[in-house]
Amino acid sequence: MAADFELVPLCTSNTLVDGSRGVRFDVNFRSEPVPAFAVRHRGVVVAYLNRCAHVAMELDWQPGEFFEPDAEFLICATHGALYDPATGQCVGGACVGRGGLRVLKVSERDGRVAWEPDGY
């Protein structure tokens, strides 16, 4: 974590259930709020900007719903683009060849999840 930034609390650890609903939050980018989210996948909390790599649309089809029905991939509700939850890389659909989701650093300690701003 960069010394200039403090942890931003997001939720308690038990809020994020493996392969289930995520937590939405905003990050500051060029003095504007940008949507982001955190989910738990295979026991690990991960976070990304809430923007499809294909077209900058939010992924969730309902607030906090980022996984496809089998909870194996994150899915863009608008385009059907599929992302590896562990890395944010595009693995199928309209985002292929366009990279992936912007990773955000999060930490989990003492039963709490926090975002670690990186100056993005």
Side-chain angles (χ1 to χ4, degrees), residues 15-17 19-24 37-40 63-67:
T15 300
L16 296 176
V17 176
S20 191
R21 180 180 292 275
V23 171
R24 294 173 51 102
F37 67 95
V39 294
R40 185 179 301 279
E65 299 291 344
F66 297 97
F67 284 101

Side-chain angles (χ1 to χ4, degrees), residues 44-62:
V44 178
V45 176
V46 294
Y48 302 100
L49 285 186
N50 192 0
R51 288 188 172 177
C52 181
H54 171 230
V55 175
M57 308 260 319
E58 294 183 18
L59 273 68
D60 43 345
W61 55 277
Q62 291 289 322

Side-chain angles (χ1 to χ4, degrees), residues 17-114:
V17 176
D18 209 87
S20 191
R21 180 180 292 275
V23 171
R24 294 173 51 102
F25 61 101
D26 286 333
V27 298
N28 230 356
F29 178 63
R30 296 183 181 158
S31 301
E32 295 289 326
V34 176
F37 67 95
V39 294
R40 185 179 301 279
H41 176 68
R42 296 185 179 156
V44 178
V45 176
V46 294
Y48 302 100
L49 285 186
N50 192 0
R51 288 188 172 177
C52 181
H54 171 230
V55 175
M57 308 260 319
E58 294 183 18
L59 273 68
D60 43 345
W61 55 277
Q62 291 289 322
E65 299 291 344
F66 297 97
F67 284 101
E68 46 79 40
D70 293 330
E72 290 297 317
F73 301 102
L74 302 172
I75 187 168
C76 174
T78 303
H79 308 110
L82 296 173
Y83 299 92
D84 178 345
T87 65
Q89 287 301 302
C90 177
V91 295
C95 64
V96 171
R98 298 177 191 259
L101 302 174
R102 167 54 161 85
V103 177
L104 300 175
K105 189 171 182 182
V106 288
S107 62
E108 184 173 20
R109 291 185 196 108
D110 301 323
R112 308 210 48 79
V113 175

